[in-house]
Amino acid sequence: MIIVMQRGASDAEIDAVVARIREHGLSEHVSKGSERTIIGAIGDERPLEPRHFEPLPGVERALHVVKPYRLVSRETQPEDTVVSIHGVRIGGPQLQVIAGPCSVETPEQMALSAAGVRAAGCRMMRGGAFKPRTSPYSFQGLGVEGLELLLAAARPAGLPVVTELMDVRMLDTFMEHDVDVIQIGARNMQNFDLLKEVGRINKPVVLKRGLANTVSEWLMAAEYIAAGGNHHIILCERGIRTFETAYRNTLDLTAVMVAKRESHLPVIVDPSHAGGKAWMVPQLARAAIAAGADGLLIEMHPSPCDAWCDADQALSPAELAELMDSLRLIAQAVGRTL
Amino acid sequence: MIIVMQRGASDAEIDAVVARIREHGLSEHVSKGSERTIIGAIGDERPLEPRHFEPLPGVERALHVVKPYRLVSRETQPEDTVVSIHGVRIGGPQLQVIAGPCSVETPEQMALSAAGVRAAGCRMMRGGAFKPRTSPYSFQGLGVEGLELLLAAARPAGLPVVTELMDVRMLDTFMEHDVDVIQIGARNMQNFDLLKEVGRINKPVVLKRGLANTVSEWLMAAEYIAAGGNHHIILCERGIRTFETAYRNTLDLTAVMVAKRESHLPVIVDPSHAGGKAWMVPQLARAAIAAGADGLLIEMHPSPCDAWCDADQALSPAELAELMDSLRLIAQAVGRTL
Amino acid sequence: MIIVMQRGASDAEIDAVVARIREHGLSEHVSKGSERTIIGAIGDERPLEPRHFEPLPGVERALHVVKPYRLVSRETQPEDTVVSIHGVRIGGPQLQVIAGPCSVETPEQMALSAAGVRAAGCRMMRGGAFKPRTSPYSFQGLGVEGLELLLAAARPAGLPVVTELMDVRMLDTFMEHDVDVIQIGARNMQNFDLLKEVGRINKPVVLKRGLANTVSEWLMAAEYIAAGGNHHIILCERGIRTFETAYRNTLDLTAVMVAKRESHLPVIVDPSHAGGKAWMVPQLARAAIAAGADGLLIEMHPSPCDAWCDADQALSPAELAELMDSLRLIAQAVGRTL
Amino acid sequence: MIIVMQRGASDAEIDAVVARIREHGLSEHVSKGSERTIIGAIGDERPLEPRHFEPLPGVERALHVVKPYRLVSRETQPEDTVVSIHGVRIGGPQLQVIAGPCSVETPEQMALSAAGVRAAGCRMMRGGAFKPRTSPYSFQGLGVEGLELLLAAARPAGLPVVTELMDVRMLDTFMEHDVDVIQIGARNMQNFDLLKEVGRINKPVVLKRGLANTVSEWLMAAEYIAAGGNHHIILCERGIRTFETAYRNTLDLTAVMVAKRESHLPVIVDPSHAGGKAWMVPQLARAAIAAGADGLLIEMHPSPCDAWCDADQALSPAELAELMDSLRLIAQAVGRTL
């Protein structure tokens, strides 16, 4: 950590900073510039925080020079992590497209969804049983029944499933039903107790980036899971909140590139929630793969206009199949397979 | 709800929209303009959502004309809600300043804090036992022990306490310890399962606005609590995330004014977390009261420089007392008392 | 325009709104719902603005139902506009990559730049003679001398040039030097007097999106140019300002898709300014083409480390050539040529 | 400036950074930490920019330790600047409220406006003759005629005027008419040629903060004016663009506090444009004064409902007079006079 002193800081003030650095078991390196004295803390600075120094008299600001994340950082593990779900590998040369409806509705809808996912050549399925909804008056998902409908449709089709866990008290149920991949939604990205719990299990986790969280906070949320012992983490970018109102969220592909550079974890993209409109999904999906994403999470519904939620962002089975064809060409262009 | 059809939408497309409106038990009102046909859905439109119409062919967009919140809306209850905590009333003519340390550390620190809060003339105390921290390596709070230290210091001083609940599984413990006011933090504003649980109890709740949540989403989060039967809700603005990096967050006082106009709930402000620097707290606190806030949530620490977290934003007991004096004048200027 | 009345608005208040609609030469359509009365203004609503109605008593809000832009809108012209610069066509099936240094420095640098641009297979060149710099103490560009160095290097290489016009008083100089394409920078996107002036000339204009401007404002800025009679407009997305600090700006490819859907104008992308780092440029460039952009504006410098500005975002001639190869594959994948 | 090297940077890479520091006439200070080597550049670092170092091999990042602004900085001039306009002093103990219509419309409207401004006890008047409008089809202001109407109304009332300059070519006209204070609007905050020109004159300038500009960029824009020799600068906060859509902009009072701490220039606030609704103006105005602003810029119109633009944000003369009364109490509370 570097501590920049105010112009004309006194020796006593400098000594107080040095003392605090030593308290934390680090050593200091004082450099007196023409305008400012700058003090470097030498050693593992991770336990230090700017707030430990900024209140001290004479301190202008304190800044980290090393990244706060450790286990998920590429400095710690240079080679890519590949998460394997019953043989479906995410993070390797082959891209994965996880498709399915926003929410689980009926056995028929799920059977048609599973058929559509397979027909399009996707190897994993998504579906929401527990839905985070802005309004208490909106459909909240079928809950455990929905979980069972999802599995009943996906298992015979040989499709591992991804579904969202919202409430830490439901984790045991997810484990009993042997859900293949647990999704932590954007709104829960900093629900630290939930992160700690999924850090204790041995199941792949899809961690969505929060709507207004930085890449650094996203990686720190992954660090919570990794620190618990669970290293099967898949990051998912799903758009951020900006001033723009012409579309639901702003898909941030730079974040995908930076997350992959800073971390060894696989990163997938959810173009359906980002744009919020079905017509945007194919172009955003192609852009995501071109930017280096390891896969996609896409909403598909057997009959979009009748969907119980997010109807306007779901592709039809035919549109999904068509998208997969165009994605193959992009995958080739960036040296990947689909 | 108003459905705007695309230019040149066909009669069949218009009929399909009308049919869907009727499916939801509402009636329609079709108005053919020179450029566009506009269809109004007449009746209680709350169950309707734009996504029910926007995927239909020929529809350009659909928009709500009434607000999505009901129980917390001023249309439903024109008079202000006043939340009373053992006689301390929030939302009435008297302002309340809730002060205390960011996190509970030691019995001594808490005893000095309680003394400082009382000496300054505040009638309620805050203190964190469970801390949401960006890093898993940062101090996470003392947990239940911290809760007990907080109560042990506040009870004899006659100060009701406000403390944060992060994990739904801890709610029983909070009830057993008879915590006076439960705080839902900014990161949990849309942790819907947590909102539902605090909606089932009969205790005041402070609901902080999320870092990137609109006033409408904030009121819908309050609606979750109210829909469960708990109407003792206090809203708290604590700054939003913007492009500015010169301070931690941007305090949004317009949101305080709009929330009070749209809703009957009391609204308080946390200037300490918003600015992130102790020097900013007094000015932001005065501005919040001038803007019409019903109270403040302020960090105070017996010796800020030694605080275990957020040291740089805590006031000393002397600074808190001084702030209270200046707030009295502002309160008078806006026709309130302190 | 739709005017939503407050609950319980009086007939007198409704009549006042109707009167104002008629004042503007439109007719009204009053629909009384169960909760609200909604009034539609029928006719060309473009001269109307919400602010004409929202101050009237009893009005809750007023909203446009048609888009404010006219000449640049796809409703007005369904087929794509193709801008031709000495035979180089932007907006057609062939993609264009405009490359060159951030700022013009020396004859040698420009000669090497022109050679690098041609060698990579690009057909147009960029270079800044007038530089918008945050600090008055930073290099402000070589001005007219820079303009001449740019043309002296590009003309013999047969490369039309794009360069930024900041000051309306320099327009004549740009015309005398017969600059091929005039760039309006992000900071000047709403410099309306400058837009009006370039609207009066008959030269292609690259209009960059402002750092915090919506797609609608961007198209309205283009409307200013078109309204003056100049229809040779090329839109350029260069990243927006968000809360993220890990990269300079957030490239917004959804905006490219929406601008192309809403308008018939060609849209290109500047990945160099968006990311701010050379390593990000190739991936962002590929993503932009995959998302449907009509071309790219890329910084290239014969020796990046010695560049006088934005050194860290410039590609070397070799990197540019390599990028062009990978872009060919992406272009094919989306049915375009390079 | 501090240059942080990548982990394992070679001595050759470190030497290259040192060489570049010396090239710029500074000396270096190399400190080898356990994880990173950090190099400090000693001397006046202002000419240096991170982009001079970040492209060099082995460099992780470079950061400034001193602020980029000089003339406008409080380090350069500790005491407050007070700008005097014909005896009306802005930046001293007395607050100034500058009121008037959004745009100049008719002689009658201006006469009534001037009377209303005086009657309320304000000492300066505002009015727009040149209007920056998002749409080319909206009223663009009366231009020079408007300027003359403004002066014709204000002069006899003894009110110095503030009016916006959009086009650098109009500066002479503003000087010939002896406009008392020239306003640079938010959209032109980084119109650097315009800033340079108003830097050459000897007239007070109100510099509005851009909708998405940081406090640092705002002060650098003021530095452009000061660097030209004009030190009569008044900063004006008018709200920033955020994700919130319930009001036009988000008034950022923290920026006012930080600008006054970092700079010696007076800072005023425009609550009318920030909120965009007349009902918000009084509360935001009181909050601004409580936060330490030196004055206000407020829209007032003799009959708001008939205003040609921004009708919904203008106060009536009676509302302005009422606001002034309440502001007196706030001014007292913060030790100022009105």
Side-chain angles (χ1 to χ4, degrees):
Chain A
M1 171 158 299
I2 291 169
I3 297 94
V4 180
M5 301 302 290
Q6 287 162 10
R7 201 176 208 168
S10 72
D11 288 351
E13 290 169 337
I14 292 169
D15 295 344
V17 170
V18 168
R20 179 150 293 197
I21 289 171
R22 293 178 180 172
E23 267 173 36
H24 286 85
L26 285 81
S27 60
E28 75 286 355
H29 192 302
V30 179
S31 118
K32 301 201 181 222
S34 62
E35 300 216 10
R36 293 273 191 288
T37 292
I38 292 156
I39 305 171
I42 298 170
D44 176 6
E45 69 171 42
R46 286 194 188 75
L48 294 184
E49 296 179 43
R51 57 170 63 115
H52 292 138
F53 294 92
E54 292 186 341
L56 295 178
V59 172
E60 183 160 303
R61 61 201 173 104
L63 17 101
H64 275 292
V65 293
V66 300
K67 303 295 169 50
Y69 31 87
R70 198 178 313 193
L71 300 171
V72 303
S73 132
R74 210 175 262 286
E75 283 193 352
T76 306
Q77 179 191 312
E79 61 283 356
D80 290 340
T81 283
V82 176
V83 176
S84 177
I85 304 123
H86 303 309
V88 180
R89 295 163 60 79
I90 299 186
Q94 187 184 54
L95 304 170
Q96 302 302 340
V97 177
I98 305 165
C102 173
S103 62
V104 176
E105 298 163 7
T106 66
E108 299 62 37
Q109 169 234 17
M110 293 312 290
L112 289 167
S113 297
V117 170
R118 273 191 69 84
C122 303
R123 288 171 290 269
M124 288 184 69
M125 184 170 181
R126 72 178 302 285
F130 298 88
K131 306 296 307 171
R133 305 302 304 276
T134 304
S135 167
Y137 310 121
S138 301
F139 172 59
Q140 308 274 314
L142 294 180
V144 177
E145 184 199 342
L147 203 58
E148 286 160 357
L149 289 180
L150 171 63
L151 294 166
R155 292 277 188 254
L159 297 166
V161 302
V162 179
T163 192
E164 179 165 353
L165 173 69
M166 289 170 60
D167 184 341
V168 72
R169 295 166 303 179
M170 291 304 301
L171 182 54
D172 293 345
T173 308
F174 274 55
M175 296 304 283
E176 286 153 17
H177 285 75
D178 194 23
V179 167
D180 306 290
V181 182
I182 293 175
Q183 174 177 310
I184 302 299
R187 293 182 183 76
N188 279 320
M189 193 201 90
Q190 290 191 316
N191 180 339
F192 300 116
D193 294 290
L194 186 57
L195 296 178
K196 287 174 183 172
E197 289 302 328
V198 296
R200 295 203 181 87
I201 61 174
N202 184 29
K203 267 202 185 300
V205 175
V206 165
L207 178 65
K208 287 197 158 187
R209 179 185 182 191
L211 255 80
N213 288 107
T214 61
V215 171
S216 176
E217 291 169 330
W218 191 20
L219 295 179
M220 287 309 289
E223 187 84 11
Y224 260 94
I225 300 172
N230 185 353
H231 294 256
H232 311 300
I233 307 166
I234 300 158
L235 300 170
C236 181
E237 156 68 22
R238 43 85 69 229
I240 58 173
R241 186 161 273 187
T242 69
F243 60 82
E244 180 59 74
T245 56
Y247 22 94
R248 188 196 290 156
N249 297 122
T250 301
L251 184 64
D252 180 5
L253 294 176
T254 316
V256 173
M257 292 156 41
V258 172
K260 283 191 70 65
R261 189 182 174 93
E262 288 290 313
S263 166
H264 49 78
L265 298 173
V267 183
I268 64 174
V269 168
D270 176 348
S272 306
H273 280 86
K277 297 284 172 200
W279 74 264
M280 298 177 176
V281 172
Q283 281 157 286
L284 290 176
R286 287 190 282 267
I289 297 307
D294 297 303
L296 299 162
L297 200 58
I298 289 181
E299 291 203 3
M300 186 273 292
H301 191 284
S303 84
C305 289
D306 303 323
W308 295 357
C309 84
D310 284 346
D312 50 347
Q313 71 192 34
L315 298 184
S316 67
E319 291 167 330
L320 177 65
E322 201 182 310
L323 171 59
M324 290 295 282
D325 292 338
S326 74
L327 287 175
R328 267 179 204 94
L329 300 169
I330 302 283
Q332 265 174 26
V334 293
R336 311 284 292 259
T337 61
L338 185 64
Chain B
M1 171 159 299
I2 290 168
I3 297 95
V4 180
M5 302 302 290
Q6 287 163 8
R7 202 177 208 170
S10 71
D11 288 351
E13 291 169 337
I14 292 169
D15 295 344
V17 169
V18 168
R20 180 153 287 198
I21 289 172
R22 293 179 180 172
E23 269 172 34
H24 286 85
L26 285 80
S27 61
E28 75 285 356
H29 192 304
V30 179
S31 116
K32 300 198 182 224
S34 63
E35 299 215 9
R36 292 269 192 294
T37 292
I38 291 154
I39 305 171
I42 299 170
D44 177 5
E45 70 171 42
R46 285 193 186 75
L48 293 185
E49 294 179 44
R51 55 170 64 115
H52 292 137
F53 294 93
E54 292 185 340
L56 294 178
V59 172
E60 183 162 305
R61 61 200 176 106
L63 17 102
H64 275 292
V65 292
V66 300
K67 303 293 170 51
Y69 31 87
R70 200 178 311 193
L71 301 171
V72 303
S73 135
R74 209 173 263 286
E75 283 192 351
T76 307
Q77 179 191 312
E79 62 283 357
D80 289 341
T81 283
V82 177
V83 176
S84 176
I85 303 124
H86 302 308
V88 180
R89 295 163 60 79
I90 299 186
Q94 187 184 53
L95 303 171
Q96 303 300 341
V97 177
I98 306 164
C102 173
S103 61
V104 176
E105 298 163 5
T106 66
E108 300 61 38
Q109 169 235 19
M110 292 311 290
L112 289 167
S113 297
V117 170
R118 272 191 69 85
C122 303
R123 288 171 290 270
M124 289 182 70
M125 184 170 182
R126 71 179 302 286
F130 299 88
K131 306 297 305 172
R133 305 301 305 276
T134 304
S135 166
Y137 310 120
S138 300
F139 172 58
Q140 307 276 315
L142 294 180
V144 178
E145 183 199 342
L147 203 57
E148 286 161 356
L149 289 180
L150 170 63
L151 293 167
R155 293 275 189 258
L159 298 166
V161 302
V162 179
T163 193
E164 179 165 352
L165 173 68
M166 290 171 60
D167 184 341
V168 71
R169 294 168 302 181
M170 292 304 300
L171 182 53
D172 293 346
T173 309
F174 274 56
M175 297 303 283
E176 286 153 18
H177 285 74
D178 194 23
V179 168
D180 305 291
V181 182
I182 293 175
Q183 174 177 311
I184 302 298
R187 292 182 184 77
N188 279 320
M189 193 201 90
Q190 290 191 316
N191 181 339
F192 300 116
D193 293 290
L194 186 56
L195 297 178
K196 287 173 183 173
E197 288 303 328
V198 295
R200 295 203 180 88
I201 61 175
N202 183 30
K203 268 202 183 300
V205 175
V206 165
L207 178 66
K208 287 197 158 187
R209 179 187 184 191
L211 255 80
N213 288 106
T214 62
V215 172
S216 176
E217 290 169 331
W218 191 18
L219 295 179
M220 287 309 288
E223 186 84 12
Y224 260 94
I225 299 172
N230 185 353
H231 294 257
H232 311 299
I233 306 165
I234 300 158
L235 300 169
C236 180
E237 157 67 22
R238 44 84 71 228
I240 59 173
R241 185 160 273 187
T242 69
F243 60 83
E244 179 59 74
T245 56
Y247 23 95
R248 188 196 290 155
N249 296 120
T250 301
L251 185 64
D252 180 6
L253 294 176
T254 315
V256 173
M257 292 155 43
V258 171
K260 283 191 70 65
R261 189 183 175 92
E262 287 290 313
S263 167
H264 49 78
L265 298 173
V267 183
I268 63 174
V269 168
D270 176 348
S272 305
H273 280 86
K277 297 285 174 198
W279 74 265
M280 298 177 177
V281 173
Q283 282 157 286
L284 291 176
R286 287 189 283 266
I289 297 307
D294 297 304
L296 299 162
L297 200 58
I298 289 181
E299 291 203 2
M300 187 271 294
H301 191 284
S303 85
C305 288
D306 303 322
W308 294 358
C309 85
D310 284 347
D312 50 346
Q313 72 192 33
L315 299 184
S316 68
E319 291 167 329
L320 177 64
E322 200 181 312
L323 171 59
M324 290 295 282
D325 293 337
S326 75
L327 288 176
R328 267 180 205 93
L329 300 169
I330 301 283
Q332 265 173 27
V334 293
R336 311 284 293 259
T337 62
L338 185 63
Chain C
M1 173 160 293
I2 290 169
I3 297 95
V4 179
M5 302 302 291
Q6 287 162 10
R7 201 177 208 167
S10 72
D11 289 351
E13 290 169 337
I14 293 168
D15 295 345
V17 169
V18 169
R20 179 152 290 197
I21 289 171
R22 293 180 181 171
E23 269 172 35
H24 285 84
L26 285 80
S27 60
E28 74 284 356
H29 192 303
V30 179
S31 116
K32 301 200 180 219
S34 62
E35 299 216 8
R36 292 271 190 292
T37 291
I38 292 154
I39 306 172
I42 299 169
D44 177 6
E45 70 171 41
R46 286 193 187 76
L48 294 185
E49 295 179 43
R51 55 170 65 114
H52 292 136
F53 295 92
E54 292 185 341
L56 295 178
V59 172
E60 182 161 304
R61 63 201 172 106
L63 17 102
H64 274 292
V65 292
V66 300
K67 303 293 168 52
Y69 31 88
R70 198 177 314 192
L71 301 170
V72 304
S73 128
R74 210 174 262 286
E75 283 193 351
T76 307
Q77 179 190 312
E79 62 282 357
D80 289 341
T81 283
V82 176
V83 176
S84 177
I85 303 122
H86 303 310
V88 179
R89 296 163 59 79
I90 299 186
Q94 186 185 55
L95 304 170
Q96 303 301 341
V97 176
I98 306 164
C102 173
S103 61
V104 177
E105 299 163 7
T106 66
E108 300 61 39
Q109 169 235 17
M110 293 311 291
L112 289 167
S113 297
V117 170
R118 272 190 68 84
C122 303
R123 287 171 290 269
M124 288 182 71
M125 184 170 180
R126 72 177 302 286
F130 298 88
K131 306 297 306 171
R133 303 302 305 276
T134 304
S135 167
Y137 309 121
S138 300
F139 172 59
Q140 308 276 314
L142 294 180
V144 177
E145 184 199 343
L147 203 57
E148 287 160 355
L149 289 180
L150 170 63
L151 293 166
R155 293 277 188 255
L159 298 166
V161 302
V162 180
T163 193
E164 179 165 352
L165 173 69
M166 289 171 61
D167 184 341
V168 71
R169 295 167 302 180
M170 291 304 301
L171 182 54
D172 293 346
T173 309
F174 274 55
M175 296 304 283
E176 287 152 16
H177 286 74
D178 194 23
V179 167
D180 306 291
V181 182
I182 293 175
Q183 174 177 309
I184 302 298
R187 292 181 184 78
N188 279 320
M189 193 201 89
Q190 290 191 316
N191 180 339
F192 300 115
D193 294 291
L194 186 57
L195 297 178
K196 286 173 184 173
E197 290 302 327
V198 296
R200 294 202 181 89
I201 60 174
N202 184 30
K203 268 203 184 300
V205 175
V206 165
L207 178 65
K208 287 196 158 187
R209 180 187 182 191
L211 256 80
N213 288 106
T214 61
V215 171
S216 176
E217 291 169 331
W218 191 19
L219 294 179
M220 287 309 288
E223 186 83 12
Y224 260 95
I225 300 172
N230 185 353
H231 294 256
H232 312 300
I233 307 165
I234 300 158
L235 300 170
C236 181
E237 157 68 23
R238 44 83 71 229
I240 58 173
R241 185 161 273 186
T242 69
F243 60 82
E244 179 60 72
T245 56
Y247 23 93
R248 188 197 288 156
N249 298 120
T250 301
L251 185 64
D252 180 6
L253 294 176
T254 315
V256 173
M257 292 156 41
V258 171
K260 283 191 70 65
R261 189 183 175 93
E262 287 290 312
S263 166
H264 50 78
L265 298 173
V267 183
I268 63 174
V269 168
D270 176 347
S272 305
H273 280 85
K277 296 285 174 199
W279 74 263
M280 298 176 177
V281 172
Q283 282 157 286
L284 290 176
R286 286 189 283 267
I289 297 307
D294 297 304
L296 299 162
L297 200 58
I298 289 180
E299 291 203 2
M300 185 272 294
H301 191 283
S303 80
C305 288
D306 303 323
W308 294 358
C309 84
D310 284 346
D312 49 347
Q313 72 192 34
L315 299 184
S316 68
E319 291 166 328
L320 177 64
E322 200 182 312
L323 171 58
M324 289 296 281
D325 293 337
S326 75
L327 287 176
R328 268 179 204 92
L329 300 170
I330 301 283
Q332 265 173 26
V334 293
R336 310 284 292 259
T337 61
L338 185 64
Chain D
M1 172 159 297
I2 290 168
I3 297 95
V4 180
M5 301 303 290
Q6 287 163 9
R7 202 178 207 166
S10 71
D11 289 351
E13 291 169 337
I14 292 169
D15 295 344
V17 170
V18 168
R20 180 152 289 198
I21 290 172
R22 293 179 179 171
E23 268 171 35
H24 286 84
L26 285 80
S27 60
E28 76 285 357
H29 193 303
V30 180
S31 117
K32 301 197 184 225
S34 62
E35 299 214 10
R36 291 273 190 293
T37 292
I38 291 155
I39 305 171
I42 299 170
D44 177 6
E45 70 171 43
R46 284 192 189 76
L48 293 185
E49 295 178 45
R51 55 170 66 112
H52 292 137
F53 294 93
E54 292 185 342
L56 295 178
V59 173
E60 183 161 305
R61 60 200 175 105
L63 16 102
H64 275 292
V65 292
V66 301
K67 301 296 169 52
Y69 30 88
R70 198 178 314 192
L71 301 171
V72 303
S73 132
R74 208 174 264 286
E75 283 194 351
T76 307
Q77 178 190 314
E79 62 283 357
D80 289 341
T81 283
V82 176
V83 176
S84 177
I85 303 123
H86 304 309
V88 179
R89 296 163 58 80
I90 299 186
Q94 187 185 54
L95 303 170
Q96 302 301 340
V97 177
I98 305 164
C102 174
S103 61
V104 177
E105 297 163 7
T106 65
E108 300 61 39
Q109 169 235 19
M110 293 311 292
L112 289 167
S113 297
V117 170
R118 271 192 69 84
C122 303
R123 286 171 291 268
M124 287 183 70
M125 184 170 181
R126 71 179 302 283
F130 299 88
K131 307 295 307 171
R133 305 302 304 276
T134 304
S135 168
Y137 310 120
S138 299
F139 173 58
Q140 308 275 316
L142 293 180
V144 178
E145 182 199 344
L147 203 57
E148 286 162 355
L149 290 180
L150 170 63
L151 293 167
R155 293 277 188 256
L159 298 166
V161 302
V162 180
T163 193
E164 179 165 353
L165 173 68
M166 290 170 60
D167 184 342
V168 72
R169 294 168 302 180
M170 291 304 302
L171 183 53
D172 292 346
T173 309
F174 274 56
M175 297 304 284
E176 286 152 17
H177 285 75
D178 194 23
V179 166
D180 305 292
V181 181
I182 292 175
Q183 174 178 311
I184 301 298
R187 292 182 185 77
N188 279 320
M189 193 201 91
Q190 291 191 316
N191 180 338
F192 300 115
D193 294 289
L194 186 57
L195 297 178
K196 287 174 183 173
E197 289 302 328
V198 296
R200 295 201 181 91
I201 62 175
N202 183 29
K203 268 202 182 302
V205 175
V206 165
L207 178 65
K208 286 196 158 186
R209 178 186 183 191
L211 256 80
N213 288 107
T214 62
V215 171
S216 176
E217 291 169 329
W218 191 20
L219 295 179
M220 287 309 288
E223 186 85 13
Y224 260 94
I225 300 172
N230 184 353
H231 294 255
H232 312 300
I233 306 166
I234 300 157
L235 299 170
C236 181
E237 157 67 23
R238 44 83 72 227
I240 57 173
R241 186 161 272 186
T242 69
F243 60 83
E244 180 59 74
T245 56
Y247 23 94
R248 188 196 288 154
N249 297 121
T250 301
L251 184 63
D252 180 5
L253 294 176
T254 314
V256 173
M257 292 156 42
V258 172
K260 283 191 70 66
R261 189 182 175 93
E262 287 289 313
S263 166
H264 49 78
L265 298 173
V267 183
I268 64 175
V269 168
D270 176 347
S272 305
H273 280 86
K277 297 285 174 199
W279 74 263
M280 298 176 176
V281 172
Q283 282 156 287
L284 290 176
R286 288 190 283 267
I289 298 306
D294 297 304
L296 299 161
L297 200 58
I298 288 180
E299 291 203 3
M300 185 273 291
H301 191 285
S303 81
C305 289
D306 303 322
W308 294 358
C309 85
D310 284 346
D312 50 346
Q313 72 191 33
L315 298 184
S316 68
E319 291 167 331
L320 177 64
E322 200 182 311
L323 171 58
M324 290 294 282
D325 293 338
S326 74
L327 288 175
R328 267 179 206 94
L329 300 168
I330 302 283
Q332 264 174 27
V334 294
R336 312 285 289 260
T337 61
L338 184 64

